[in-house]
Structure formats: C-alpha cells, structure tokens
Amino acid sequence: MSMATSTERLHPAVQSFVSHPRKMLINGQWVNSQSGKTFSTFNPATGEVMAEVAEGDKVDIALAVKSARKAFEQGPWRKMTPSDRGKLLWRLADLLESNLEEFAQLESLDNGKPLTIARAADVPLAVDLFRYMAGWSTKIEGNSIPISVPYMPGSQFLAYTLREPVGVVGQIIPWNFPLLMAAWKLGPALAVGCTIVMKPAEQTPLSALRLGELFIEAGFPEGVVNIVPGYGETAGAALAAHPDVDKIAFTGSTEVGKLIVNAATGNLKKVTLELGGKSPSVVLPDADLETGIPGVASAIFFNHGQCCAAGSRLYVEKSIFDKVVAGVADQAKQIKIGPGLDPTTQMGPLVSDEQQHRVLGYLESGFAEGAQAAAGGKRSGDKGYFVEPTVLVNTNSNMKVIQEEIFGPVVCAEPFTEVEEVVAKANDNIYGLAAAVWTKDLSKGHRIAAQLRAGTVWINCHNIFDASLPFGGYKQSGWGREMGHEALDLYTEVKSVCAKLA
C-alpha cells in the first residue's frame, strides 16, 4: 500500500492554508485564542502533523456567544429581509462551488476520505444544501386562525401565528463529513435568521475555517457566524452549557449526545441531536444480487464505514446467505486502500489513531466471542490509521459487534428464514437511524419499510441523501431532523398573536 501524499498534488491555496496557523472567527475577525494555545490536526494517512489551529476554550466561546447575541439583537442581520438572507446563502453556495477543488482536497487531507468522493459528494451536496435553504428563507410562514372563544360570545378576534428565529444557536459538528455536516446545520439556521457559534470537530477543523472565509467574502454581517475550534470537553461543553445560547445542535455519538442534553438543562435550551446508528440491511431471496451485493458492500464501506447510517448489520435470507457473504467479502478484498489524495484510492484511513484503536478493539471483541472474518479483520499497513474492509460471520445478537456502533468498515452478517424474524432482529437495537431492504417485490419492500423503526428506510439503495429529504433517527439515534423543511421548524419559535376586534 502506497503512503505517498506528495504536496505537489495539492492545490496551491490548500498548500498555503495548511502552512499557516489557523485562527478562529469571532465577530467577523480572525483571532487567536485568548490563551494563545493551539492544537495540531493530523494527516490520517501518515499520522503526521498537518496544521496548527487556535484552541478555543470557555472564554473564547463566551466571546463568540456575545458576538452572536449582539448580531441577533442589534445587528443588520435582524433587519435584513428574507430575500436578502436568501441571496447571501446563494452567494455562499456559488463561492463554495467555485472553490470546489480546494475544499475537496482539504476534506481529503483532514478526514482521510478519497478525493474523488469529496469532489463528487461532500462539496456538491454542501453547495446544494445552501441553495435549497436559500429558497426557504422567503417561505417561513405563519397561519391565520379563525378562533371561537366560547366563553366570549359575539366577540371577534384576529388571530395568527408567526415563525421567528430561535436566537443564538450553538452547533457542534462531527469529523466524518466535516463540511457537509456544517452545511446541514448552518443552512436552515441562517435561512430563518438565527446567529451561530459553531465548533468543528478537533480532528477535522480545516474546511469549516476555510468556509468562514467564504462567509466574510459573501458579505454576511459580522457576528452572524462565529467559528471556534477546540476540544469537545472544553469548547464543546462550554457551548452546550452557555446560558445565553438558545439552542444547541449536535451531531456525533449517542454517549456525547446525552452529555449535551444534561449540559443544556441549565437554561432549558432547545436541543436537536443526530446521533449513532447500527443500520440493518435486509436482503430477501428475490433480490437482484447483481446490484444488491455491491449495494450492501457500499452501504458499509462508503466513507470507511465512518457513516452514522452505514449498513453495519447484514441480514440475508438463508438460501442465498453464502452467496451474498462471498460476494460482499470479494468486494471488500478488491477495495484499494490508500491515502485520500491518491486518485486510485477507494478507501482511505480512519480519521484518527483513537478511532483506529476503537475499531480494532471491536474486532478483537468479536473474535473473542466467536465471530470469524470472511474478509479483512485487521489493521492495514504500519503507517497511518488504516483498517481492512471487514466482513464478519458467525455473529449473533448478543455480541457487542452486533449491538454497538463500531463506526468503521466492519459489517456483521447473519442468516434469517422468515420476514417476521428479520424485522424483529432489525428492530432489536437501541438505534433507529436508517435501514435498507433489497427485493424485487416493491410491495413487500414497502410493507417491511413500514415495520422498521428507523428514520430513513432505503429500498434497493443505500446512502441516498438530498437537501429536500429529512434525515434523523428513532430511539437513541437522536431528536429532530436534518435537511428538508422539517429542519427549519427546529430553528424557529411559534408565536401566537391574538387581537380583539369587537
């Protein structure tokens, strides 16, 4: 496996960006942390330090929140028309699109994902999200309501509702899709008129900081978007607990999500959470295996399995189980592992040394409990954070590898005989983010989809996302939805207005 990540492949702007210490964005200005501290972001393909970034802490979060509050209460943002807010979001999308290659390379360097994927998916989807939300800025509407008031016969009223921005929003972004997840949160909040303090993941802060430069270039008023990099236990915790933050939006692990909820109780701020998943892929005996086998393989190996909706539990009807497992294992063995910037790479490294150890620990646990590897099962290479695409068999519902989210390129396969049996197994998990059904019988596919306790169910596909399609989970996979018009409701308050006319 080649580990070359030669800088001559880099876009000149990317080379310049990672060569200088990155500051934080507060009140429209790029500033150092109050402590003067910085932290390193690493190239996951090599484990080497790639850039130094200002390390935000509680005092920096406080300054950013103060800036966002002033922008919300006093700044031009509050007086801006919905049309003008939409124009700014569209301008941001245009700028992002014109810098697509630069952002794709930053994502590939910082996260490890293949550059081809960042070019084709991460950046274009972020562009599309901003444009979609730009259109919604002029469509945040209330209703007129014909009320009756039975205890005041003969009286007349004009009653209506308003949808108003919730206020200052704290947003904590994960490391698996750094740019896209930032867009998912920024877009709806800005469309309705909120102001924002955003903390990118400490593992992957670069694309968010570069996006901050585009906010300034697009002409967003100072203080509307503040970006404070730092660690979750310091900057993130301070943001979640800050008494002048009206809402917190978090994407990450369920464990941390519960800490966010506890921190938010101080001022009972609104909370939305997009959390973990252990998504089942159900393959019925009539499935088209020519598309189904590569489909369920992609469901788990896309983005190195570091995807909350990854199809990590594979349930296959007994008569075709061996064929499907052999096919998925063959797909796994053919995946080209390497640095994200290598144009031939199909799977890059995991994001960090910590994440690599987590995934390898789950593999050890699975083997200790009797699981066997039909493909993969160990670290790949001796440099960087690579793990082989892995297919586990001889698994059962009592194993940690079946019940807990691994967040790596590991799929656990089990056979089933009856649909009722597999639906029960698919739902037997604390998570309910996504699921997939593979069958030629679409009537059967829709019936099973109705029985699955998941926020998204794909039929004969997986990992299909669109700015108009709401995404979120049942059970411990979170609260609320990202994308679609449902996301807008989570950044607004409803005000009822009632005037007596006669």
Side-chain angles (χ1 to χ4, degrees):
M1 176 177 61
S2 172
M3 288 295 174
T5 54
S6 54
T7 55
E8 62 265 24
R9 294 184 191 146
L10 290 181
H11 189 289
V14 174
Q15 182 63 55
S16 175
F17 193 81
V18 299
S19 298
H20 297 87
R22 306 319 313 174
K23 299 181 179 182
M24 61 183 66
L25 179 62
I26 297 179
N27 202 36
Q29 304 296 318
W30 291 103
V31 297
N32 293 316
S33 64
Q34 290 295 299
S35 67
K37 291 181 180 179
T38 63
F39 65 94
S40 300
T41 183
F42 296 87
N43 183 335
T46 64
E48 297 170 354
V49 174
M50 184 169 57
E52 293 295 325
V53 178
E55 182 185 331
D57 207 334
K58 185 175 182 179
V59 64
D60 304 288
I61 290 293
L63 289 171
V65 172
K66 183 178 180 180
S67 167
R69 176 59 62 188
K70 182 179 179 182
F72 182 74
E73 302 287 355
Q74 305 171 26
W77 186 244
R78 189 177 185 86
K79 301 174 184 176
M80 192 175 290
T81 66
S83 178
D84 285 341
R85 284 203 308 272
K87 288 176 184 176
L88 282 178
L89 278 168
W90 197 276
R91 192 178 305 155
L92 177 71
D94 286 346
L95 288 169
L96 181 56
E97 188 172 53
S98 66
N99 290 279
L100 185 150
E101 181 64 20
E102 180 184 348
F103 275 89
Q105 289 193 15
L106 278 175
E107 289 294 83
S108 180
L109 275 174
D110 216 11
N111 169 273
K113 66 181 61 195
L115 179 58
T116 52
I117 299 299
R119 280 190 190 123
D122 294 63
V123 184
L125 283 172
V127 170
D128 190 58
L129 187 286
F130 285 127
R131 287 181 178 148
Y132 174 84
M133 291 299 173
W136 271 110
S137 62
T138 54
K139 302 168 186 67
I140 312 302
E141 301 171 343
N143 298 292
S144 60
I145 305 171
I147 64 175
S148 300
V149 196
Y151 55 85
M152 294 182 67
S155 296
Q156 297 179 24
F157 298 88
L158 172 63
Y160 58 92
T161 60
L162 299 172
R163 279 204 167 270
E164 299 180 338
V166 71
V168 175
V169 177
Q171 300 182 329
I172 301 176
I173 312 302
W175 47 255
N176 57 336
F177 294 90
L179 175 66
L180 183 56
M181 297 298 99
W184 280 16
K185 286 184 168 44
L186 289 163
L190 293 170
V192 304
C194 294
T195 57
I196 296 163
V197 177
M198 187 174 76
K199 191 203 85 69
E202 57 266 32
Q203 298 89 345
T204 55
L206 297 182
S207 59
L209 294 172
R210 179 67 182 98
L211 188 64
E213 295 181 347
L214 297 193
F215 275 107
I216 295 172
E217 187 176 349
F220 280 79
E222 61 187 26
V224 171
V225 176
N226 305 272
I227 303 174
V228 182
Y231 292 100
E233 58 268 28
T234 51
L239 184 57
H242 198 288
D244 205 25
V245 171
D246 300 301
K247 179 211 167 72
I248 194 82
F250 169 76
T251 295
S253 71
T254 296
E255 178 185 12
V256 176
K258 293 176 181 179
L259 297 176
I260 296 287
V261 171
N262 288 331
T265 59
N267 67 335
L268 290 181
K269 58 174 62 70
K270 305 292 187 292
V271 178
T272 55
L273 305 167
E274 200 266 275
L275 305 176
K278 192 71 177 176
S279 301
S281 292
V282 177
V283 184
L284 300 182
D286 66 345
D288 178 1
L289 298 187
E290 287 190 14
T291 58
I293 287 173
V296 297
S298 175
I300 181 61
F301 300 134
F302 171 67
N303 207 53
H304 337 157
Q306 296 174 144
C307 184
C308 51
S312 54
R313 290 185 292 150
L314 176 58
Y315 297 106
V316 186
E317 202 276 336
K318 188 175 182 179
S319 65
I320 57 170
F321 180 79
D322 290 343
K323 181 176 182 179
V324 170
V325 168
V328 175
D330 186 58
Q331 294 269 325
K333 293 170 184 175
Q334 293 182 44
I335 291 173
K336 170 69 164 59
I337 304 173
L341 291 183
D342 185 333
T344 66
T345 289
Q346 295 171 306
M347 179 183 289
L350 300 182
V351 74
S352 65
D353 178 69
E354 178 185 7
Q355 187 62 15
Q356 184 190 51
H357 278 85
R358 171 187 170 88
V359 173
L360 293 175
Y362 271 108
L363 288 174
E364 290 177 9
S365 169
F367 296 143
E369 292 182 315
Q372 298 176 348
K378 59 183 186 298
R379 177 177 180 168
S380 179
D382 56 5
K383 188 177 184 182
Y385 313 133
F386 296 87
V387 172
E388 293 178 337
T390 299
V391 180
L392 296 182
V393 294
N394 286 2
T395 59
N396 63 67
S397 297
N398 297 320
M399 292 181 175
K400 284 179 63 176
V401 291
I402 288 284
Q403 288 298 328
E404 298 182 16
E405 184 178 39
I406 299 174
F407 221 62
V410 181
V411 62
C412 302
E414 286 190 54
F416 70 90
T417 54
E418 301 292 338
V419 169
E420 293 76 11
E421 170 200 356
V422 76
V423 168
K425 281 190 173 183
N427 288 334
D428 181 23
N429 197 266
I430 64 170
Y431 299 113
L433 189 59
V437 182
W438 296 83
T439 177
K440 291 179 183 176
D441 185 341
L442 289 182
S443 178
K444 185 183 294 182
H446 287 293
R447 289 198 303 270
I448 294 173
Q451 298 176 68
L452 293 171
R453 298 277 294 161
T456 297
V457 179
W458 291 291
I459 300 176
N460 295 329
C461 57
H462 203 109
N463 285 330
I464 302 300
F465 300 100
D466 187 86
S468 62
L469 191 65
F471 181 77
Y474 288 24
K475 298 186 280 187
Q476 294 189 41
S477 285
W479 295 349
R481 295 294 181 267
E482 308 273 11
M483 301 191 292
H485 62 79
E486 285 84 357
L488 298 160
D489 295 343
L490 302 174
Y491 288 97
T492 57
E493 296 276 21
V494 177
K495 177 183 288 182
S496 294
V497 180
C498 180
K500 191 173 186 297
L501 302 180

